[in-house]
Each structure stands twice: as C-alpha cells, then as structure tokens.
Amino acid sequence: MNSSQYGLWARSGSEAPWRRWRRGESNEGVGITSPGMDPELQDEHGDGTKRILFKYEEPLCREALLLYPKELDLQVDWQDRLHWIIREWWLEELVIERSREDELWLRSLRELTSSLDLNELLLRIMHSALKVIPSADCGFFMMFNSESGKLVPRASVGVGESIYAFRVHPGEGITGKIFNSGKGEIFLSRALFHKSNG
C-alpha cells in the first residue's frame, strides 16, 4: 500500500474538520487531494477515487478516511486488515501522547516539591496544568478564604492583575458552582461555558 498513491485523513468526531494524516510514497505532486467539506469526498478529477471510512470508538473516538485510486482493488479482508493497522497507528500515537503528558506531570511534581512558598507553588501548578490541558492558554486558581467566606484568586496565568479583585461565594457563578460540586471541568467553547454558567 505504501508504494501506491493514496491519502489518509483523520478527524476526532464527525463534527471536526478532516486533516491529512498520512499518504503513500508515490503521491508526490499528483492525485489524491483533501476531502475538505465535500460530501462526495472525491479527488479533483471528480470520479477517480474510491473511499473507505473507518470509525473507532473509545478510547480513540476518531474517524479515518482512506482515499485511493479506483483501479486499486481492496478486497474485504484487506479493508479489515487496514482497519486494524490504522487502529494500531493511533493507539501508538495515544501511548506516546500519554507518556509525554505523564512526563510533564512528573517533571512538574519534581519542580513543585522544590518550593515551599505557597504563591510560587500555586503559580507552578497553574503553569503545569496549562501544559497538559488541550487548547488552554490562560487560567486562574482560587482558594476558599474562611474569614470572608469567599473564593479568592491566588495564582493566575495570562489573565491579568485585575483577576485578584475577583471574589465569589461558594455556589455563585461558574467558579462557585464548580467549587461546590468538587469536580473540575474543562470548557471547550465559550458557548459551553456560558451554558454552564447560566
């Protein structure tokens, strides 16, 4: 297959855009182009491409789309074999990604134990958390103050100094609700954030 002209695209869920993942060695300068948002998912010539969609459940939750020349006849047993090969590629990537995350956490833990200053410790926790949370580039850390009965910011990254004037009671706003629930949450869009806060 590697010596053939083909294109393999991937996406994480049916709503996500396709991205080129792999291609055959003979693809240089010719042939299989990106499926884009085209429902027909055909090449630029319109009718010279066959396609196979592979779907993977947990722990991958991804889809792969193989586009290849129609003259290349892929029997069902080869399609099954490709399904498992692609799954193995992804599992290898997942293991490498998790190993990187684990190494970041371990390195962060080693750094954390080197400091006894609470403010510096919290700031290091924030930096470490942002390294392993997908798409996160800012955040703040709040602690409950028993004297005021409010949650008070103690560390922030990329938010600005004005965050330190922010105070909420437990149960108030998204921060207070998360505090009461005792469970962390990651919001992947402003819409989800506002929905949870409303």
Side-chain angles (χ1 to χ4, degrees), residues 4-197:
S4 301
Q5 183 188 340
Y6 74 91
L8 189 57
W9 280 265
R11 65 181 178 183
S12 53
S14 58
E15 300 301 314
W18 290 105
R19 64 173 177 83
R20 183 185 283 281
W21 185 30
R22 294 177 183 235
R23 65 181 184 182
E25 293 172 356
S26 68
N27 280 39
E28 206 60 43
V30 288
I32 308 290
T33 59
S34 170
M37 300 307 291
D38 181 1
E40 295 301 312
L41 299 171
Q42 292 180 328
D43 72 356
E44 61 191 351
H45 305 296
D47 62 351
T49 305
K50 282 188 175 179
R51 59 196 178 273
I52 305 172
L53 181 65
F54 299 102
K55 292 188 177 186
Y56 300 88
E57 303 298 328
E58 291 282 350
L60 296 172
C61 301
R62 297 180 187 179
E63 293 181 355
L65 179 69
L66 174 68
L67 278 70
Y68 62 97
K70 65 180 181 181
E71 61 269 13
L72 184 64
D73 188 24
L74 285 180
Q75 300 298 324
V76 174
D77 60 331
W78 258 104
Q79 293 179 29
D80 289 342
R81 195 178 302 176
L82 282 170
H83 179 275
W84 291 105
I85 289 171
I86 292 168
R87 182 178 185 273
E88 191 172 315
W89 284 342
W90 258 332
L91 287 172
E92 285 173 7
E93 284 186 5
L94 192 61
V95 167
I96 291 168
E97 184 182 317
R98 295 282 162 85
S99 297
R100 265 196 223 110
E101 288 176 5
D102 290 346
E103 179 53 37
L104 277 172
W105 278 113
L106 288 171
R107 190 182 315 144
S108 300
L109 286 172
R110 287 192 291 270
E111 290 173 2
L112 292 176
T113 55
S114 70
S115 172
L116 296 177
D117 179 69
L118 181 60
N119 289 335
E120 187 182 339
L121 183 64
L122 293 175
L123 192 58
R124 287 183 181 188
I125 289 172
M126 284 298 306
H127 280 290
S128 299
L130 290 174
K131 286 179 186 174
V132 295
I133 297 173
S135 304
D137 56 4
C138 65
F140 58 95
F141 184 89
M142 300 184 80
M143 292 181 71
F144 180 72
N145 182 300
S146 56
E147 290 180 14
S148 66
K150 293 183 179 180
L151 295 163
V152 179
R154 293 298 301 269
S156 73
V157 176
V159 180
E161 291 299 312
S162 61
I163 191 66
Y164 292 103
F166 178 60
R167 306 279 192 274
V168 291
H169 287 98
E172 181 184 359
I174 191 69
T175 308
K177 288 176 185 175
I178 290 174
F179 176 79
N180 277 355
S181 74
K183 296 179 182 177
E185 290 192 48
I186 296 174
F187 300 97
L188 300 176
S189 70
R190 288 183 183 274
L192 289 173
F193 177 82
H194 291 300
K195 181 179 178 184
S196 181
N197 199 20

